[in-house]
Amino acid sequence: MKELTMAIVGYGGMGSYHAHALIPDAAHIHLKGAFDIDPARQQAIADDGFVSYPSYGALLADPEIDLVLVATPNDRHKPLAIQALNAGKHVISEKPAMMSPAELEEVLAVAKDAHREFFTHQNRRWDPDFRVITEIVESHSIGDVFRIESRVHGADGIPGDWRHYAKYGGGMIRDWGVHLLDQLLFLLDGPISRVTAETSTILGNDCDDGFTVRLDFASGIRCVVEVGTTNFISLPRWYVKGTKGTAEIIDWDLAGEQVIATGVDTTAPAPIRAGVGLTKTMAPPTENAVRHAALPAGTPLAESFYDNVHDVITAGAARIVKNEEVLRLLRLIDAIFQATETGQSVGFE
Ligand code: NAD
């Protein structure tokens, strides 16, 4: 099996996470070194036992390097990826792949001319909670799914420095939004007919500190995607409705359940007092009308991100993250920006 040697440009939070937590698990890829414009991070590279290249040019001039990970602020992905491709390296870009679909098209054209592979690290396709939701949708355990609500809520505002500025590709749409939207595009078939969106700028940044997006798929499935950084009480990570039940995943530890209609008992529930009134509609179902089921284990993906990158480069394997999927994701993000600017829902596909 051919081994690949890799280097990282941008050794901050995520670059060093790749070095310590992700690349060591790759079967046939090993990390040789890295470069960062920050002297303190250059020192961290050496302290971690890797080659600390004196410049990006020196990294790219190393003939042992097959593959470069770009893990810098988002606005730097394009020039650094193009430089690496032109130096004959394969490239992985952290998400968002680029600032716009036009930028990605430009990079893919360079990759094609250079006969090199370009990948985007859409790692949350592998998240256990998302694999569980995938199994619920595919197995129809709660019937045909018609609504998916996907949320992440924090209370500490936008983290770090560059993420506060639009010019560096900051804001939550380009941060968590990229992950949550990618998951839904990967999961659900068919075109998205309409996109509706609102952003929040409560914290006074020049980019969004949170957003709510509604995607209407032509299939009839409606999705709500929400990211908040001012939520001192979090809503569940996933809330999914099907024709025969509802599923919920509360948190990253996969607390949650499925509540599924048995079809055995169709007796109307007795009215309950609600506030100062009475309701039949909102009364809980009778005991025999539903069963509570554990969440499924989750549909696994064929292989890890890095093993797939290796197999694409060395053996022409099928990609798990396809560039045309990433291009569609960036087009969707453009449509979301358009919807927030105009305050109108916009047609998409
Ligand atoms: P960070 O600020 O912690 O690190 C960025 C690093 O890049 C810094 O050390 C900075 O000095 C360096 N840098 C900036 N310009 C450079 C240049 N021209 N050449 C070399 N180094 C340069 O940011 P981060 O949180 O690590 O985010 C980096 C990237 O990773 C972003 O694209 C972000 O969206 C992505 N990210 C992805 C995930 C994920 O789960 N996939 C999670 C976090 C961050």
Side-chain angles (χ1 to χ4, degrees):
M1 185 72 75
K2 184 174 165 24
E3 303 292 311
L4 296 177
T5 303
M6 182 171 168
I8 300 175
V9 58
Y11 200 72
M14 199 55 189
S16 54
Y17 183 73
H18 278 263
H20 295 298
L22 303 180
I23 301 167
D25 284 343
H28 301 287
I29 298 179
H30 90 273
L31 180 65
K32 178 172 178 183
F35 168 71
D36 197 293
I37 45 165
D38 178 350
R41 298 310 297 158
Q42 283 286 86
Q43 187 57 48
I45 295 165
D47 292 346
D48 288 348
F50 301 113
V51 174
S52 180
Y53 292 96
S55 66
Y56 190 41
L59 181 158
L60 295 179
D62 183 344
E64 283 186 12
I65 300 301
D66 304 296
L67 175 65
V68 173
L69 167 72
V70 179
T72 60
N74 300 337
D75 65 312
R76 299 287 84 206
H77 292 180
K78 180 183 133 183
L80 295 169
I82 287 179
Q83 260 182 281
L85 291 164
N86 282 332
K89 314 299 184 189
H90 302 288
V91 171
I92 300 170
S93 173
E94 254 307 338
K95 59 88 224 171
M98 296 291 146
M99 297 280 278
S100 67
E103 282 196 3
L104 180 55
E105 279 168 347
E106 198 180 329
V107 169
L108 293 179
V110 174
K112 192 172 175 208
D113 287 349
H115 303 288
R116 298 291 111 177
E117 300 288 350
F118 176 85
F119 303 87
T120 307
H121 191 229
Q122 294 295 162
N123 51 321
R124 291 195 177 278
R125 293 184 183 193
W126 281 261
D127 274 1
D129 57 284
F130 175 59
R131 305 312 318 154
V132 168
I133 294 299
T134 300
E135 183 169 342
I136 289 171
V137 171
E138 290 175 347
S139 70
H140 300 271
S141 58
I142 57 169
D144 295 335
V145 165
F146 60 87
R147 185 178 179 92
I148 301 179
E149 299 182 15
S150 169
R151 293 187 172 84
V152 289
H153 283 165
D156 294 324
I158 300 177
D161 43 17
W162 59 268
R163 280 181 172 79
H164 295 251
Y165 300 97
K167 67 178 177 180
Y168 302 128
M172 284 298 123
I173 291 174
R174 287 197 163 106
D175 193 325
W176 267 98
V178 172
H179 288 304
L180 304 192
L181 295 162
D182 178 65
Q183 289 177 334
L184 294 171
L185 296 189
F186 188 50
L187 172 64
L188 300 174
D189 292 331
I192 294 168
S193 43
R194 291 207 78 72
V195 175
T196 313
E198 61 174 43
T199 51
S200 71
T201 49
I202 294 160
L203 301 174
N205 299 283
D206 73 342
C207 49
D208 71 292
D209 53 49
F211 67 85
T212 306
V213 166
R214 198 184 83 200
L215 305 177
D216 292 327
F217 281 75
S219 64
I221 298 180
R222 177 169 281 181
C223 298
V224 174
V225 180
E226 186 173 274
V227 173
T229 57
T230 54
N231 300 67
F232 289 83
I233 298 173
S234 300
L235 288 170
R237 171 72 188 85
W238 295 94
Y239 181 79
V240 182
K241 289 169 74 176
T243 46
K244 292 189 179 142
T246 304
E248 182 178 58
I249 301 180
I250 309 285
D251 54 26
W252 305 113
D253 296 330
L254 303 185
E257 64 171 346
Q258 305 177 82
V259 179
I260 303 169
T262 58
V264 176
D265 183 354
T266 51
T267 321
I272 55 162
R273 276 189 73 164
V276 295
L278 189 70
T279 179
K280 269 195 299 236
T281 324
M282 298 305 159
T286 56
E287 204 181 312
N288 294 330
V290 291
R291 66 185 174 86
H292 292 254
L295 295 169
T299 315
L301 284 168
E303 56 182 350
S304 73
F305 175 81
Y306 270 112
D307 288 347
N308 183 243
V309 164
H310 174 272
D311 293 351
V312 170
I313 291 172
T314 62
R319 286 164 173 268
I320 294 179
V321 181
K322 298 182 175 62
N323 284 325
E324 58 268 28
E325 294 168 344
V326 179
L327 201 49
R328 181 180 181 223
L329 172 64
L330 294 181
R331 288 195 182 114
L332 175 61
I333 287 170
D334 267 9
I336 289 169
F337 282 129
Q338 196 192 331
T340 57
E341 274 158 26
T342 58
Q344 308 277 326
S345 69
V346 296
F348 181 51
E349 293 171 325

